[in-house]
Amino acid sequence: MAANEVINADIEIATPALGRRLAAEVFGTFFLVFAVIGTAMFASFNTGFVGVSLAVGLSVVGGAYAVGHISGGHFNPAVTIGAAAAGRFAWADVLAYIAAQVVGGILATTIILAIKSGSTSETVGTFAGVSNGFDAHSPSGFNLGSVLLAEVVLTAIFLYVILGVTDRRAPSGFAPLAIGLTLTLVHLVLIPISNASVNPARSIATAIFGGPEALGQLWVFILAPILGALIAGFTYNLLFDAKKRA
């Protein structure tokens, strides 16, 4: 998410047309999902959790600088919902943004599936292996309660950072870097727990190719990030913005 007119109401520039903003969200979410899932499936045997975490952080930095000035650079339904809850984004546009993000994510995994079909290497991962999960489908065997708690808390932290670095009082120009680095840290913690969602569009994009088990657990990775985003969105002004409380 970039610091622009969608997130920072103090910057007075014209808002691009909805169609252009949705196209930017499709592109940005495609870039994010393609980077993180592509790395996880094709390169994680060399890079491990650190490489996958860097991939998602770098993709957010690149995407936010590229199209954040157009759409706000959400690339994540939880970010869109959290921004709306904080009064930084119009609720009327939330569903359209979410639809664009889901489309972008599914396009990314569809292309990854096509690329995967051209390899016989045993090192290539599977969509079941990169989908989010708990119990037997958690990389380290974490149960439902632990996964829910981790996803809610880390999504809330991620949203607090986003809302903070795009605040009218924050230094301008550094939001994508701070957001990308934070998302890298979030993934370093969460990948062993749940394969790291904090983004329902990413979870949907892999679950649809991940088999019945991934689809059966998908609800957790839709609910938990949205709950974490709402917690942060509804409490940010109360906790950190005295002007909004007054």
Side-chain angles (χ1 to χ4, degrees), residues 17-35:
L18 180 60
R20 293 183 181 180
R21 288 188 280 138
L22 297 181
E25 287 296 304
V26 171
F27 167 78
T29 311
F30 174 92
F31 185 16
L32 186 158
V33 173
F34 192 90

Side-chain angles (χ1 to χ4, degrees), residues 81-95:
I81 291 169
R88 308 276 193 91
F89 186 76
W91 282 106
D93 291 340
V94 166
L95 289 180

Side-chain angles (χ1 to χ4, degrees), residues 56-115:
V56 69
L58 291 171
S59 66
V60 167
V61 172
Y65 277 124
V67 298
H69 58 287
I70 299 171
S71 68
H74 298 189
F75 315 150
N76 180 341
V79 173
T80 298
I81 291 169
R88 308 276 193 91
F89 186 76
W91 282 106
D93 291 340
V94 166
L95 289 180
Y97 263 54
I98 291 174
Q101 292 152 1
V102 171
V103 167
I106 292 173
L107 283 173
T109 51
T110 300
I111 291 177
I112 289 171
L113 178 63
I115 295 169

Side-chain angles (χ1 to χ4, degrees), residues 116-124:
K116 181 179 183 295
S117 68
S119 174
T120 58
S121 172
E122 294 182 0
T123 62
V124 175

Side-chain angles (χ1 to χ4, degrees), residues 187-214:
H187 276 66
L188 287 171
V189 176
L190 264 182
I191 288 174
I193 299 172
S194 65
N195 261 339
S197 173
V198 302
N199 185 340
R202 169 263 189 268
S203 298
I204 293 168
T206 52
I208 62 172
F209 297 120
E213 293 85 2

